[in-house]
Coordinates of all heavy atoms in Angstrom, one line a residue:
P12 N 93.7 204.5 29.6 CA 94.6 205.7 29.8 C 94.0 206.9 29.0 O 93.2 206.8 28.1 CB 95.8 205.2 29.0 CG 95.7 203.7 28.9 CD 94.3 203.4 28.9
N13 N 94.3 208.0 29.5 CA 93.9 209.3 28.9 C 94.6 209.4 27.5 O 95.8 209.3 27.3 CB 94.5 210.5 29.7 CG 93.9 211.8 29.3 OD1 93.8 212.1 28.0 ND2 93.4 212.6 30.2
P14 N 93.8 209.8 26.3 CA 94.3 209.8 25.1 C 95.5 210.9 24.9 O 96.3 210.7 24.0 CB 93.1 210.3 24.2 CG 91.9 209.9 25.0 CD 92.3 210.0 26.5
N15 N 95.4 211.8 25.9 CA 96.5 212.8 25.9 C 97.7 212.5 26.8 O 98.5 213.2 27.0 CB 95.9 214.1 26.3 CG 94.7 214.7 25.4 OD1 95.0 214.5 24.1 ND2 93.8 215.2 25.9
S16 N 97.8 211.2 27.2 CA 98.8 210.8 28.2 C 100.2 210.8 27.3 O 100.3 210.6 26.2 CB 98.6 209.4 28.6 OG 99.6 208.9 29.2
S17 N 101.2 211.1 28.2 CA 102.6 211.2 27.6 C 103.2 209.8 27.7 O 104.4 209.8 27.6 CB 103.3 212.3 28.3 OG 103.4 212.0 29.7
M18 N 102.5 208.8 28.0 CA 103.1 207.5 28.1 C 103.8 207.0 26.8 O 103.2 207.3 25.7 CB 102.0 206.5 28.6 CG 101.5 206.7 30.0 SD 100.1 205.6 30.4 CE 100.9 204.0 30.5
T19 N 104.9 206.3 26.9 CA 105.6 205.9 25.7 C 104.8 204.5 25.2 O 104.0 204.1 25.9 CB 107.0 205.6 26.0 OG1 107.1 204.5 26.9 CG2 107.8 206.7 26.4
T20 N 105.2 204.2 24.0 CA 104.6 202.9 23.4 C 104.9 201.8 24.4 O 104.0 201.0 24.7 CB 105.1 202.7 22.1 OG1 104.9 203.8 21.3 CG2 104.5 201.5 21.5
R21 N 106.1 201.7 24.9 CA 106.5 200.6 25.7 C 105.7 200.7 27.0 O 105.2 199.7 27.6 CB 107.9 200.7 26.0 CG 108.5 199.4 26.9 CD 110.0 199.5 27.0 NE 110.4 198.4 27.8 CZ 111.7 198.1 28.1 NH1 112.6 199.0 27.6 NH2 112.0 197.2 28.9
E22 N 105.5 201.9 27.6 CA 104.7 202.0 28.8 C 103.3 201.7 28.6 O 102.7 201.2 29.5 CB 104.8 203.5 29.3 CG 106.2 203.8 29.9 CD 106.4 205.2 30.1 OE1 105.6 206.1 29.6 OE2 107.3 205.6 31.0
L23 N 102.7 202.0 27.5 CA 101.4 201.7 27.1 C 101.1 200.2 27.1 O 100.2 199.7 27.5 CB 100.9 202.4 25.9 CG 100.5 203.8 26.0 CD1 100.3 204.5 24.6 CD2 99.2 204.0 26.8
Q24 N 102.1 199.6 26.4 CA 102.0 198.1 26.3 C 102.1 197.4 27.6 O 101.4 196.5 27.9 CB 103.2 197.5 25.4 CG 103.1 198.0 23.9 CD 104.3 197.6 23.1 OE1 105.3 197.4 23.6 NE2 104.1 197.4 21.8
E25 N 103.0 197.9 28.5 CA 103.0 197.3 29.8 C 101.8 197.6 30.5 O 101.2 196.8 31.4 CB 104.3 198.0 30.5 CG 104.5 197.5 31.9 CD 104.8 196.0 31.9 OE1 105.3 195.5 31.0 OE2 104.6 195.4 32.9
Y26 N 101.2 198.8 30.4 CA 99.9 199.1 31.1 C 98.9 198.2 30.8 O 98.1 197.7 31.6 CB 99.5 200.6 30.7 CG 98.2 201.0 31.2 CD1 98.0 201.5 32.5 CD2 97.0 200.8 30.4 CE1 96.6 201.8 32.9 CE2 95.8 201.1 30.8 CZ 95.6 201.6 32.1 OH 94.3 202.0 32.5
W27 N 98.7 198.0 29.4 CA 97.6 197.1 28.9 C 97.8 195.6 29.4 O 96.9 194.9 29.5 CB 97.4 197.2 27.4 CG 96.7 198.4 27.0 CD1 97.2 199.5 26.2 CD2 95.4 199.0 27.4 NE1 96.3 200.6 26.1 CE2 95.2 200.2 26.9 CE3 94.4 198.3 28.2 CZ2 94.1 200.9 27.0 CZ3 93.1 199.1 28.3 CH2 93.1 200.4 27.8
R28 N 99.1 195.3 29.4 CA 99.5 193.9 29.8 C 99.0 193.7 31.3 O 98.4 192.7 31.7 CB 100.9 193.6 29.7 CG 101.4 192.2 29.9 CD 102.9 192.0 29.7 NE 103.3 192.4 28.4 CZ 104.0 193.3 28.0 NH1 104.5 194.1 29.0 NH2 104.4 193.6 26.8
N29 N 99.3 194.8 32.1 CA 98.8 194.6 33.5 C 97.3 194.6 33.6 O 96.7 193.9 34.5 CB 99.5 195.8 34.4 CG 101.0 195.7 34.4 OD1 101.6 194.5 34.4 ND2 101.6 196.8 34.6
E30 N 96.7 195.5 32.8 CA 95.2 195.5 32.9 C 94.6 194.3 32.5 O 93.6 193.7 33.2 CB 94.7 196.6 31.9 CG 94.9 198.1 32.5 CD 94.1 198.2 33.7 OE1 92.8 198.3 33.5 OE2 94.6 198.5 34.8
K31 N 95.2 193.7 31.4 CA 94.5 192.3 31.0 C 94.7 191.3 32.0 O 94.0 190.4 32.1 CB 95.3 191.9 29.7 CG 94.7 190.7 28.9 CD 95.4 190.4 27.7 CE 94.8 189.2 27.0 NZ 95.5 188.8 25.8
G32 N 95.8 191.3 32.8 CA 96.0 190.4 33.9 C 95.3 190.6 35.0 O 95.0 189.5 35.8
C33 N 94.8 191.8 35.4 CA 94.2 191.9 36.7 C 92.7 192.4 36.7 O 92.0 192.3 37.5 CB 95.0 192.9 37.5 SG 95.0 194.6 36.9
W34 N 92.4 193.1 35.5 CA 91.0 193.7 35.5 C 90.1 192.7 34.9 O 90.3 192.2 33.8 CB 91.1 195.0 34.7 CG 89.6 195.7 34.5 CD1 88.9 196.3 35.5 CD2 88.8 195.6 33.4 NE1 87.7 196.6 35.0 CE2 87.6 196.3 33.7 CE3 89.0 195.1 32.0 CZ2 86.6 196.5 32.7 CZ3 87.9 195.3 31.1 CH2 86.8 196.0 31.5
K35 N 89.0 192.4 35.6 CA 87.9 191.5 35.1 C 86.6 192.3 35.1 O 86.1 192.6 36.2 CB 87.9 190.3 36.2 CG 89.1 189.5 36.1 CD 89.4 188.7 34.8 CE 90.7 187.8 35.0 NZ 91.0 187.2 33.6
P36 N 86.0 192.4 34.1 CA 84.7 193.1 34.0 C 83.7 192.2 34.7 O 83.6 190.9 34.6 CB 84.4 193.2 32.5 CG 85.3 192.2 31.9 CD 86.4 192.0 32.7
V37 N 82.7 192.8 35.3 CA 81.7 192.0 36.1 C 80.5 191.8 35.1 O 79.8 192.7 34.6 CB 81.1 192.9 37.2 CG1 79.9 192.1 37.8 CG2 82.2 193.1 38.3
K38 N 80.4 190.5 34.7 CA 79.4 190.1 33.8 C 78.7 188.9 34.4 O 79.3 188.1 35.2 CB 79.9 189.6 32.4 CG 80.7 190.8 31.6 CD 79.7 191.8 31.1 CE 80.4 192.9 30.4 NZ 79.5 194.0 29.9
L39 N 77.4 188.7 34.2 CA 76.6 187.7 34.9 C 76.1 186.8 33.8 O 75.7 187.2 32.7 CB 75.5 188.3 35.6 CG 75.8 189.2 36.8 CD1 74.6 189.6 37.5 CD2 76.8 188.5 37.7
L40 N 76.2 185.5 34.1 CA 75.6 184.5 33.2 C 74.3 183.9 33.9 O 74.3 183.7 35.2 CB 76.6 183.3 33.0 CG 77.8 183.7 32.1 CD1 78.7 182.4 31.9 CD2 77.3 184.1 30.7
F41 N 73.4 183.6 33.1 CA 72.1 183.0 33.7 C 71.9 181.6 33.2 O 72.0 181.3 31.9 CB 70.9 183.9 33.4 CG 71.0 185.3 33.8 CD1 71.7 186.3 33.2 CD2 70.4 185.6 35.1 CE1 71.7 187.5 33.7 CE2 70.6 186.9 35.6 CZ 71.2 187.8 34.8
E42 N 71.6 180.7 34.0 CA 71.3 179.3 33.7 C 70.0 178.9 34.3 O 69.7 179.3 35.5 CB 72.4 178.4 34.1 CG 73.8 178.5 33.4 CD 73.9 178.0 32.1 OE1 72.9 177.2 31.7 OE2 74.8 178.4 31.3
I43 N 69.1 178.2 33.7 CA 68.0 177.5 34.3 C 68.5 176.1 34.5 O 68.4 175.1 33.7 CB 66.7 177.6 33.3 CG1 66.6 178.9 32.8 CG2 65.6 177.1 34.1 CD1 66.3 180.0 33.9
A44 N 68.9 175.8 35.8 CA 69.5 174.6 36.1 C 68.7 173.4 36.2 O 68.9 172.3 35.8 CB 70.3 174.7 37.4
S45 N 67.3 173.7 36.7 CA 66.4 172.6 36.8 C 65.1 173.2 36.8 O 64.8 174.4 36.9 CB 66.7 171.7 38.1 OG 66.6 172.5 39.2
A46 N 64.1 172.3 36.9 CA 62.7 172.7 36.9 C 61.9 171.6 37.7 O 62.1 170.4 37.5 CB 62.0 173.0 35.6
R47 N 60.9 171.9 38.5 CA 60.1 171.0 39.2 C 58.7 171.3 39.2 O 58.3 172.5 39.1 CB 60.6 170.8 40.6 CG 60.5 172.1 41.4 CD 61.1 171.9 42.9 NE 61.1 173.2 43.6 CZ 60.1 173.7 44.2 NH1 59.0 173.0 44.2 NH2 60.1 174.8 44.8
I48 N 57.8 170.4 39.2 CA 56.3 170.6 39.2 C 55.9 170.7 40.6 O 56.2 169.8 41.5 CB 55.6 169.7 38.4 CG1 56.0 169.6 36.9 CG2 54.1 169.8 38.5 CD1 55.4 168.3 36.1
E49 N 55.2 171.8 41.0 CA 54.8 171.9 42.4 C 53.2 171.9 42.3 O 52.6 172.6 41.5 CB 55.3 173.3 43.0 CG 54.9 173.4 44.4 CD 55.7 174.5 45.2 OE1 56.9 174.6 44.8 OE2 55.1 175.2 46.0
E50 N 52.6 171.2 43.1 CA 51.1 171.1 43.4 C 50.6 171.6 44.7 O 51.2 171.2 45.8 CB 50.7 169.7 43.1 CG 50.9 169.1 41.6 CD 50.2 167.8 41.5 OE1 48.9 167.8 41.5 OE2 50.8 166.9 41.0
R51 N 49.8 172.5 44.6 CA 49.1 173.0 45.8 C 47.6 172.7 45.8 O 47.1 172.1 44.8 CB 49.4 174.5 46.0 CG 50.9 174.8 46.1 CD 51.2 176.3 46.3 NE 52.6 176.5 46.4 CZ 53.1 177.7 46.4 NH1 52.3 178.9 46.4 NH2 54.4 177.9 46.5

């Protein structure tokens, strides 16, 4: 929300409750699942 917003405390609480429920930041996890030896 804009810091200068005229939202009431209750409205802000409701806003953040909704955001927490629906907004998911895109983060990636990396795993090295397995390894194999390749011979050429």
Side-chain angles (χ1 to χ4, degrees):
N13 190 318
N15 299 320
S16 170
S17 60
M18 295 173 71
T19 65
T20 302
R21 184 175 180 178
E22 289 172 333
L23 280 170
Q24 289 174 340
E25 182 65 24
Y26 172 85
W27 286 117
R28 189 178 299 112
N29 292 334
E30 284 293 294
K31 186 177 181 180
C33 66
W34 179 71
K35 300 290 185 182
V37 175
K38 299 290 184 182
L39 300 181
L40 291 179
F41 298 87
E42 295 284 345
I43 308 299
S45 63
R47 60 182 176 84
I48 298 174
E49 185 165 321
E50 293 191 56
R51 297 180 182 175

